Amino acid sequence: MWEHQSLFRVSAQLFAEGVFNLLDRNLRPEVFLLGLASAREADEPAGVVLEPQSVRYGAHSFAGIKARAAALEADAGPRDVVYHLHPNDHDRYEKQRWYELVCQATESTLRALTAERKENRHSFCSVPVNLQGYLVTVVLQVADDCYGSYYAIPKSGGQRPANLLHAAVLEFLHDCTRALREADTADNEQPALDRDYNEVLRSAGRRLMLRAGPAGTQGLYDACNGVAALRHEGSEGVGTLLVARRQHPAIVPVLTLETPVTLRDHRSIRKLLELSEDATALVSDASHVFGLGQLVSENDPRYEALVTVNFTHHYSWEMSHAGHVLMRVVSNTPRLPQGRVAADNFGRTVRRVFPSLDADSVDYLWALTASASTQPTGTILVFSAGAAQEAQRLSRQSFRVAPRIITPTVLRLVTNIDGAVFIEPTGVCHSIGAILDGLATEKGDSSRGSRYNSAVRYVNSSQYPCLAVVVSEDGWIDLLPTQ
């Protein structure tokens, strides 16, 4: 299609891994390019081009995309006539509409292919860009079971993100489309996509919160960060904000401000947060705060699930919908809600690391993990086949204990001190309060704390099969290794 298409595809693949590994490493993103020649039929040579050619799909699988797009256009029925000041604007409008239909046809084709092959993949496509005589589309595929495990706002789709993960996908595809448009003029010796990964997620967070309020309201994400960064009389900002249009029938007014306070006035909003308590919350239309209110019960016919912002700690807040956390933001860094580790996910991970472990031992390790996940100050459990040897090696930076089967009750006690707990897969504890070592690795995350990054370094460097359970103080829970 063009000279540097391989470089672009590799750059997009690395970009996708960098962004989505920060959210969930089980997503396993995969990127390939699809080109439809503008001047050739799909069954002609070079009518359909895939990059890389080794992708598991063949060019013939996409031969009917243009026909499917034309059918979508016919099924849409009559359209409203759009008048423009200049004929070129109308041509541009028609081209963009055709490109969007091609995008829809490509996604439906991929859905049919993955269903037919029973592949655990969920596909997304960027709007095509006309480049060197080809309509070039970036295709992103992620693990379908992982993508579907996160709560999604109902009635979402298209450019309306359903959750943070969907918003990140839209932001990624937007960046790919922009880079494709610049492919002819950009310095091809540099990566085509080199935006900071956390900045992509911040933009995804803004995109997600843009749909929380009435149409046209912006700035809610940055306002929440500004409020969370402030203290009131030395205390952390803890409180709740309900996001809804004014006079929403599902909200019972408790107190109405005569003069609404703009969300840009962070200090005033921080002070008003002190008024929120239990079911009573500040009420905002994503532009102003206009009082206190309570959401009616779910049994009430007026009830409607609304977006809620919960300020949890200094520099920390959460966005929720219908009681489901959509996004956690710590120090202006959005992440997916991790919550408690799911038993089935834990079991799969343990069996991958320790394939010979019996079911009873897996259940016992799960009981220990469930106990550790309640530790409010955070902790690390290291289940290692070489726990005894590692306890001896790290004896100068840990407290070695007489080997014993550790119970969930005792585990809650020993995790009250800093450091990791070394446990054999059979449940025998050898060391507590251990300071982990390890070589620096690219798998680290500068936005996370020292507890998480030290566990990443240790697991990546360990000579023994091991599984680390990291319970962070901010409530995030990670299993390492993730894959």
Side-chain angles (χ1 to χ4, degrees):
M1 294 180 286
W2 82 98
E3 182 181 358
H4 299 284
Q5 65 185 39
S6 297
L7 174 64
F8 180 88
R9 204 277 309 174
V10 171
S11 176
Q13 177 66 41
L14 295 175
F15 187 52
E17 291 174 0
V19 171
F20 295 103
N21 283 350
L22 289 179
L23 294 176
D24 192 329
R25 287 185 177 271
N26 293 316
L27 287 167
R28 302 190 303 277
E30 180 181 9
V31 177
F32 66 91
L33 304 182
L34 170 65
L36 304 176
S38 303
R40 294 187 182 91
E41 296 298 328
D43 56 353
E44 294 182 18
V48 177
V49 178
L50 293 170
E51 170 61 44
Q53 294 182 358
S54 58
V55 72
R56 59 186 173 279
Y57 305 114
H60 63 277
S61 301
F62 303 96
I65 285 181
K66 290 182 183 178
R68 181 172 288 188
L72 289 173
E73 186 173 30
D75 292 342
R79 293 184 289 124
D80 294 335
V81 178
V82 179
Y83 295 95
H84 298 279
L85 295 177
H86 195 279
N88 290 343
D89 293 329
H90 183 74
D91 292 342
R92 193 177 300 113
Y93 170 80
E94 291 296 331
K95 284 182 180 179
Q96 184 63 25
R97 186 171 181 276
W98 171 247
Y99 294 163
E100 291 172 357
L101 291 172
V102 170
C103 178
Q104 294 175 28
T106 305
E107 287 187 343
S108 63
T109 299
L110 284 164
R111 281 195 298 269
L113 284 171
T114 54
E116 178 185 349
R117 301 182 179 200
K118 297 181 180 179
E119 295 176 330
N120 179 32
R121 307 301 284 166
H122 195 106
S123 304
F124 303 90
C125 302
S126 68
V127 176
V129 173
N130 197 335
L131 181 64
Q132 302 285 334
Y134 283 87
L135 295 182
V136 183
T137 298
V138 178
V139 179
L140 169 68
Q141 292 186 314
V142 296
D144 186 54
D145 57 350
C146 181
Y147 181 83
S149 66
Y150 292 97
Y151 174 79
I153 300 176
K155 299 179 181 179
S156 301
Q159 296 301 307
R160 290 174 57 83
N163 50 31
L164 179 63
L165 184 49
H166 187 199
V169 168
L170 295 177
E171 198 67 27
F172 168 81
L173 294 177
H174 174 78
D175 278 9
C176 288
T177 300
R178 173 191 52 77
L180 278 175
R181 291 196 180 108
E182 298 172 354
D184 281 336
T185 58
D187 182 0
N188 289 298
E189 295 180 358
Q190 299 296 324
L193 294 157
D194 55 0
R195 190 178 176 195
D196 180 76
Y197 303 146
N198 281 308
E199 177 54 37
V200 174
L201 296 182
R202 284 190 281 272
S203 296
R206 293 186 183 95
R207 183 188 287 264
L208 176 61
M209 295 201 77
L210 184 62
R211 68 157 299 178
T217 54
Q218 301 190 36
L220 180 58
Y221 176 89
D222 293 306
C224 291
N225 277 317
V227 172
L230 298 176
R231 294 179 181 269
H232 178 65
E233 296 181 353
S235 63
E236 294 182 335
V238 178
T240 306
L241 182 74
L242 275 173
V243 183
R245 66 180 185 272
R246 298 194 182 198
Q247 299 179 343
H248 195 289
I251 296 179
V252 178
V254 174
L255 185 70
T256 302
L257 297 175
E258 187 172 300
T259 304
V261 179
T262 175
L263 278 180
R264 293 192 298 271
D265 188 351
H266 300 163
R267 291 192 178 278
S268 295
I269 302 301
R270 170 63 192 87
K271 190 171 184 177
L272 288 172
L273 270 180
E274 298 292 320
L275 302 177
S276 65
E277 185 178 79
D278 298 328
T280 304
L282 292 183
V283 183
S284 171
D285 61 355
S287 177
H288 292 79
V289 167
F290 42 89
L292 287 170
Q294 294 181 350
L295 187 64
V296 299
S297 67
E298 295 186 22
N299 298 326
D300 194 302
R302 297 171 297 169
Y303 175 80
E304 179 184 336
L306 299 175
V307 168
T308 304
V309 178
N310 298 306
F311 295 90
T312 54
H313 301 287
H314 194 215
Y315 284 111
S316 301
W317 55 278
E318 299 175 348
M319 176 187 179
S320 304
H321 182 267
H324 300 274
V325 178
L326 290 168
M327 171 174 65
R328 284 197 172 105
V329 181
V330 179
S331 300
N332 194 17
T333 304
R335 290 292 186 270
L336 289 169
Q338 299 298 320
R340 299 188 184 279
V341 179
D344 54 350
N345 181 43
F346 179 83
R348 287 195 299 269
T349 306
V350 169
R351 291 186 183 91
R352 187 178 70 243
V353 178
F354 308 110
S356 61
L357 208 60
D358 59 73
D360 290 339
S361 296
V362 173
D363 291 342
Y364 193 78
L365 296 188
W366 166 245
L368 295 177
T369 300
S371 176
S373 67
T374 63
Q375 174 57 259
T377 59
T379 188
I380 302 176
L381 301 185
V382 178
F383 300 117
S384 173
Q389 295 88 335
E390 288 295 272
Q392 182 176 2
R393 183 179 70 85
L394 300 173
S395 58
R396 298 295 296 273
Q397 54 196 59
S398 67
F399 297 100
R400 294 182 64 188
V401 298
R404 59 156 292 172
I405 296 288
I406 192 166
T407 64
T409 302
V410 175
L411 184 65
R412 281 196 296 271
L413 296 176
V414 301
T415 53
N416 284 329
I417 64 173
D418 292 337
V421 182
F422 273 91
I423 305 172
E424 289 183 351
T426 55
V428 176
C429 178
H430 289 269
S431 177
I432 65 174
I435 306 301
L436 300 180
D437 58 5
L439 300 176
T441 171
E442 62 181 9
K443 295 180 180 179
D445 183 355
S446 60
S447 69
R448 301 292 300 275
S450 58
R451 178 181 286 118
Y452 173 84
N453 282 288
S454 63
V456 170
R457 288 194 297 270
Y458 177 81
V459 170
N460 194 58
S461 305
S462 177
Q463 60 179 314
Y464 303 101
C466 68
L467 171 67
V469 178
V470 184
V471 181
S472 301
E473 193 170 345
D474 54 25
W476 291 358
I477 299 175
D478 297 274
L479 297 180
L480 302 170
T482 56
Q483 56 183 345

